[in-house]
Amino acid sequence: MIKNFDELLEAVKGRKKMKLSVAAANDIEVLLAVENARSLGLIDAVLVGDAEDIKKIAGENNIDLNNYEIIDVKDLKESARVAVSLVSQGIADFLMKGLIGTADLLKAVLDKEIGLRTSNLLSHVMVYSVETYHKLILLTDGGMVTYPDITQKVQIVQNAVKVAKALNINPIHVAPLCAVEVVNPDMQATIDASILSKMNQRGQIKDCVIDGPLALDNAISKEAAAHKGIKSPVAGEADILLVPNIESGNMLGKSLTYFAKAKSAGIIVGAKCPIVLVSRADTHESKLYSIALGSLIANSN
């Protein structure tokens, strides 16, 4: 089991080097993150975007472009299509967003002709390392699916389980988070949690252990669960926190980042390859870890 991000970096170094396709690579923060990952021996990369801008940024930041293949594409949307097609053709192994809107990148990802569409739902998985927790914790979905129904929650869990398996987590404990620990017919999240748990018990959702509804304290603290008399294989051992909607996921994730000073990596899963989306607000470390996580998952496919 990979328990922290230092171990993640070492795990990626020990595997076949994956090639990253960067859409609209003419972005200073993205280029610096890609160069960091390349210099550590984690990846190779193809930079798709405005070649003049890429060369200007590289020159100002001592990045040797001899280490990269550059494909000159001025138009941002076309750069997304080219970057995606490199993956669909098998030239690259996974994808990263540069100086382009997420919606435009995903439009190319879902394009029927050149895209990376599968039958799976696309969902966002954040991985956090928190000093007060004894292992990595996965949070989903605080970035893609707004108000998932039970069918979508099943796919969100399955996507997160793939990430957990790439991190060699076994067994994988999934906690469907709610405000309370009992099923309340007036609270849809608790009903969904109970359905997910029963589907898991009957083998309809595999490769993990799901138990809920669980409040956050019970999911991550054995003491809190014992105090409330909750007996659960997931209590205090959660690997995946499944949130009921995007607002709760967004707020919990940012609380971990800003209040708990957690380190993090983020990825979109459900396509034919992992997609690295970094925010300008992400730390330099977070960008590096996200690329490493994408490489690890791509290597596990």
Side-chain angles (χ1 to χ4, degrees), residues 217-256:
D217 55 348
N218 307 314
I220 61 174
S221 170
K222 291 182 184 292
E223 292 76 12
H227 183 72
K228 293 185 178 180
I230 296 170
K231 295 181 179 180
S232 166
V234 175
E237 287 293 340
D239 298 294
I240 297 172
L241 301 176
L242 173 69
V243 295
N245 54 52
I246 196 169
E247 285 96 350
S248 57
N250 181 278
M251 286 184 276
L252 176 54
K254 288 180 178 176
S255 295
L256 288 170

Side-chain angles (χ1 to χ4, degrees), residues 53-83:
D53 285 351
I54 292 172
K55 290 174 182 177
K56 182 174 183 293
I57 294 168
E60 293 171 349
N61 292 276
N62 298 314
I63 298 173
D64 184 358
L65 291 180
N66 289 320
N67 294 310
Y68 299 94
E69 177 185 352
I70 301 173
I71 301 177
D72 185 21
V73 182
K74 306 294 188 200
D75 182 77
L76 291 179
K77 293 182 180 179
E78 183 59 24
S79 73
R81 289 181 58 83
V82 172

